Amino acid sequence: MAKKVLVTGGCGFIGVNFVRLVLEAREDWEIVNLDKLTYAGNLRSLDGVADNPRHHFVKGDICDQHLVESLFLEHDIDTVVHFAAESHVDRSITGPADFIRTNIFGTFTLLEAARKHWLDRPRQAGGDECCFLHVSTDEVYGSLGATGYFTELTAYDPRSPYSASKASSDHLVRSYFHTYGLPILITNCSNNYGPFQFPEKLIPLAVNNALQGREVPVYGDGGNVRDWLYVQDHCEAIVRVLEKGVAGESYNIGGHNEKRNLEVAELLCDILDRKAGPLPSGQPRRQLITFVRDRLGHDRRYAIDAGKISSKLGWTPKMTFDVGLEKTVDWYLSNRTWLDAVVNGSYRQYYQQMYANR
Ligand code: NAD
Ligand code: TYD
């Protein structure tokens, strides 16, 4: 069915992969891509799709009520896929204010615009089926010990300013369903990896550092576990939830790929040794791995039970971790201009602030 989709944060990592997938796979969907272009948003990630007539980029803030409402009106938006957020846990520890503003107030602003446009007045045109899909994280569920999985019924227990702000936004979104009948969907996914990820997150940071022969920082004892999900699998899951999900419900999305951080760092070093040639020093890149001071409040393990989306909507991830990591490294190696541009300027300051004397 044709859709007019407001994608927020469509110049960030997952958003841009979603925009690319939809433009290719859904010929009758039109996208309005609202992005503030913070440090994490990158117009270069839209190269090759920016001029597609079904894609309209708008630079702006999701907290700007006037702008958001005018976009709903102008484009008669019937679907929201809400990615825009401050997304990095370490930044939320050093500066939580932006997380509260964008993740909570920004989500509220979008919800209000959807409520006004979809429920308070008759719509101008388009299908009757509206939908507000809120993209959230498994981090709202807290931290697991050695066993167990997060299901959609796991109690919320966020433990960082980032996850607390995402949990707050999930609660707000759900409240608009129960209070106003706004047709919402929530997805809670595990750690994504793949093309276009900003090198503040573990995988692209390790790739960038190991490529240049710089130390690969591993927090604490390297034993923290994440459940890695290839970004394209995630974006396909979002399309599935949009098309088949039941309003008011949430769906966990995971990769069935639990790995310890140290193991991830080692795999990446080995792949780079093979693909990028040896370092000038001749040392294997594994020797670059350096244990550094742990993150405050570092969640030990995340693991998703994706049984609901599999049994109810028929989605399972296709990518294996070995192949996904190879593809990811290949992408960074063939997109050195993209990578070199994002690690310039303010990134250097960030790196210095986060990692010097750690
Ligand atoms: P990202 O940090 O790469 O991109 C965020 C995008 O949002 C950027 O383009 C940025 O410019 C934009 N943005 C930030 N503040 C904005 C504002 N006030 N107004 C408009 N645009 C703004 O994030 P990502 O990794 O692509 O994550 C997307 C969503 O998925 C987030 O909501 C995040 O919480 C969630 N999520 C991500 C992961 C992951 O592993 N990356 C895992 C689970 C959930
Ligand atoms: P990250 O990619 O920041 O995602 P999240 O915190 O949302 O899970 O981190 C993934 C894991 O890797 C997490 O346990 C923290 C760890 N980590 C490191 O060990 N070194 C690093 O330089 C970074 C950025 C993360």
Side-chain angles (χ1 to χ4, degrees), residues 50-82:
D51 294 337
N52 186 309
R54 290 183 291 115
H55 174 264
H56 316 279
F57 172 68
V58 179
K59 182 177 187 309
D61 193 328
I62 56 167
C63 300
D64 180 343
Q65 186 188 348
H66 178 72
L67 172 66
V68 170
E69 285 182 8
S70 70
L71 291 178
F72 268 82
L73 272 175
E74 185 187 340
H75 297 277
D76 198 22
I77 297 296
D78 53 44
T79 304
V80 175
V81 183
H82 176 31

Side-chain angles (χ1 to χ4, degrees), residues 88 139 191 200-202 217-219 226 261 295 298 355:
H88 191 37
E139 303 192 22
N191 288 59
E200 64 187 354
K201 305 281 173 25
L202 176 65
V218 169
Y219 298 167
R226 298 293 183 262
N261 293 337
R295 173 185 280 172
H298 195 175
Y355 293 93

